[in-house]
Amino acid sequence: MDIFGIISVLLTLTALFSYINYKFLKLPATIGVMLISLVISLSLILISGSSGDFAQKATLWLNKIDFDYAVMQGMLSFLLFAGALHVNINDLAKEKLTITLLATLGVVLSTFIFGSLFYLINLAFGFGVDFIYCLLFGSIISPTDPIAVLGILKTTGAPKDLETVIAGESLFNDGIGVVVFLVISGIAFGGGDVSFTSAAWLFTEEAVGGALLGIILGWTSYYLLKSIDNYQVEALITLALVMGGYKLASSFHMSGPIAIVVAGLFIGNKGRNFAMSDNTRNRLDDFWELIDEILNSILFVLIGLELLVLTLNFQWFAAGLIVIPLVLLSRFVSVSLPLLVLKFKGEKKKGLIPVLTWGGLRGGISVALALSLPPSAERDIILVFTYIVVIFSISVQGLSIKKLVNKVINN
């Protein structure tokens, strides 16, 4: 099937699942379509004995979709820009220290805490996974997914300062998480320089370089937007910024996610306030909201369907259920320690730790990173566990985060 055929099937399934969810289930859109996809996938697996031909064709079709490439080089740039477009940069600046600590120190702490805990589970179950691969799993599962977080955050009714911290952390920590992943995967699969200098340079090149590129892209696009008043052309400029900017960042070995987030913040604040007419602003808001909703739904349909290509056995499933509380524990510690530093500085927010812990959702980015690993026994184990954590995170944590916010914040 060609690329047009794949996109056609995905859009058709997404439209159908979205209709079923809206009409009958009435769950948050992303969670609803993912759960329907999971049910479809499980049904195909269960009937594969009697209707193996259809299930096999569905699996072969899904294997033609490069999930890692579709997410990391396709959807991610659009979704990050759409998310950053509506984040107030002044609110973000007020929480800059909290967000910086959570997106950097928090990710590194979580990687090593979870990696160490998972190594113990690995020994107990006899999986034979080396410690470096356990750390690699930690780097995959530690960053929260901005796509999942921002999608659920809209429904929680969280206070503005808490919403800013959660949104800001999720927008930036995936870029940092990818850098940590690149360093550890370079060591795990050979050819990587393990020196502190090389790791520091990679971080600077990816994170700092990406941020600087984002500023340049934002300024350039702002100048172009300010010089005209035509919403069709201005929509094209923002599309070019997202697609061309992400590709440019990748070409220069800079963090595409960080570059697009910074550019999105620039356009969403300075651009929307000083370079757009009211008509353009409203049209662009509608345009990017529609892109955000459509791509979010397609992504979560894909997450549900990915179950078809996993290698499952009872021992891995049992261990995966143990991994879930380890992820939450690692998240709790990695959030608490940075916030403890801020507490000594006199900064304290009610309910921040439990909401950040439970609201730290994992999504498509974690699955994409796991799928990007080269074929190996370790990859199969990491991929299955990642998938189990992501499904739990989106379905259970995503559906209950609103109640938690109401309990610890609004009461």
Side-chain angles (χ1 to χ4, degrees):
M1 186 181 294
D2 59 15
I3 186 66
F4 181 78
I6 291 173
I7 293 174
S8 299
V9 173
L10 275 177
L11 278 173
T12 302
L13 290 175
T14 302
L16 177 61
F17 295 169
S18 296
Y19 176 83
I20 293 171
N21 177 63
Y22 181 83
K23 187 75 174 178
F24 303 106
L25 300 182
K26 303 187 185 303
L27 295 171
T30 51
I31 297 177
V33 296
M34 187 198 72
L35 291 178
I36 294 171
S37 299
L38 276 176
V39 171
I40 297 296
S41 298
L42 285 170
S43 300
L44 287 173
I45 291 172
L46 291 175
I47 67 173
S48 61
S50 57
S51 305
D53 186 52
F54 179 74
Q56 186 179 25
K57 286 181 178 179
T59 304
L60 289 173
W61 172 81
L62 194 61
N63 276 323
K64 293 179 180 178
I65 302 174
D66 189 336
F67 187 95
D68 168 44
Y69 187 84
V71 174
M72 302 303 292
Q73 300 299 324
M75 299 180 187
L76 183 59
S77 58
F78 294 95
L79 293 167
L80 287 176
F81 184 82
L85 206 58
H86 297 287
V87 175
N88 188 298
I89 201 166
N90 293 321
D91 294 337
L92 208 62
K94 293 176 184 177
E95 307 294 343
K96 60 181 180 297
L97 184 56
T98 305
I99 293 170
T100 300
L101 284 175
L102 289 173
T104 54
L105 179 61
V107 170
V108 174
L109 282 174
S110 178
T111 296
F112 282 88
I113 293 169
F114 175 78
S116 301
L117 293 174
F118 180 70
Y119 184 66
L120 298 178
I121 296 298
N122 156 69
L123 293 177
F125 280 82
F127 292 136
V129 179
D130 292 337
F131 182 66
I132 189 63
Y133 294 103
C134 296
L135 287 181
L136 186 62
F137 185 19
S139 71
I140 289 171
I141 215 67
S142 290
T144 58
D145 191 322
I147 301 164
V149 172
L150 293 174
I152 303 301
L153 196 58
K154 298 174 185 177
T155 68
T156 61
K160 190 65 178 178
D161 57 346
L162 179 58
E163 184 178 321
T164 300
V165 170
I166 297 173
E169 182 210 7
S170 67
L171 283 170
F172 284 102
N173 75 358
D174 64 300
I176 302 299
V178 170
V179 176
V180 176
F181 170 80
L182 290 174
V183 172
I184 298 178
S185 62
I187 299 170
F189 296 104
D193 191 338
V194 299
S195 71
F196 174 80
T197 303
S198 64
W201 171 249
L202 178 60
F203 175 84
T204 303
E205 184 181 25
E206 289 274 346
V208 179
L212 291 175
L213 179 61
I215 293 173
I216 294 171
L217 293 171
W219 263 109
T220 304
S221 300
Y222 167 76
Y223 176 80
L224 295 175
L225 293 170
K226 191 176 182 180
S227 65
I228 61 172
D229 184 15
N230 182 290
Y231 71 85
Q232 294 100 330
V233 177
E234 291 176 79
L236 282 172
I237 290 172
T238 57
L239 278 173
L241 164 63
V242 171
M243 300 177 72
Y246 198 91
K247 186 63 178 178
L248 187 64
S250 300
S251 299
F252 285 106
H253 303 290
M254 297 174 181
S255 173
I258 292 178
I260 295 303
V261 167
V262 171
L265 289 171
F266 197 99
I267 298 301
N269 289 268
K270 192 173 180 64
R272 291 178 81 252
N273 292 329
F274 302 108
M276 300 179 191
S277 64
D278 290 340
N279 182 47
T280 296
R281 190 180 302 115
N282 293 333
R283 298 273 190 160
L284 277 182
D285 284 348
D286 291 342
F287 174 74
W288 279 102
E289 182 180 356
L290 185 60
I291 288 179
D292 185 39
E293 294 294 336
I294 291 174
L295 290 183
N296 253 311
S297 297
I298 291 174
L299 174 60
F300 282 85
V301 166
L302 270 176
I303 290 175
L305 294 176
E306 280 295 309
L307 181 64
L308 289 170
V309 300
L310 297 182
T311 303
L312 294 173
N313 62 52
F314 178 77
Q315 187 183 30
W316 287 6
F317 180 76
L321 296 180
I322 300 174
V323 166
I324 291 171
L326 296 185
V327 171
L328 291 172
L329 176 61
S330 303
R331 172 69 176 171
F332 173 77
V333 176
S334 65
V335 163
S336 299
L337 291 179
L339 292 181
L340 187 62
V341 175
L342 297 176
K343 184 178 179 181
F344 284 120
K345 293 176 62 64
E347 299 184 27
K348 185 178 180 181
K349 293 181 177 62
K350 179 183 177 183
L352 188 56
I353 291 177
V355 172
L356 280 173
T357 300
W358 194 251
L361 306 182
R362 278 73 178 181
I365 292 176
S366 292
V367 176
L369 289 176
L371 284 167
S372 72
L373 298 175
S376 65
E378 292 85 0
R379 176 189 185 273
D380 293 340
I381 294 174
I382 290 173
L383 179 57
V384 169
F385 289 160
T386 299
Y387 194 82
I388 291 172
V389 170
V390 166
I391 295 303
F392 176 87
S393 175
I394 295 172
S395 57
V396 179
Q397 292 174 238
L399 284 174
S400 56
I401 185 63
K402 184 175 182 178
K403 292 182 180 179
L404 178 65
V405 170
N406 289 331
K407 183 175 181 179
V408 302
I409 302 294
N410 299 331
N411 286 344

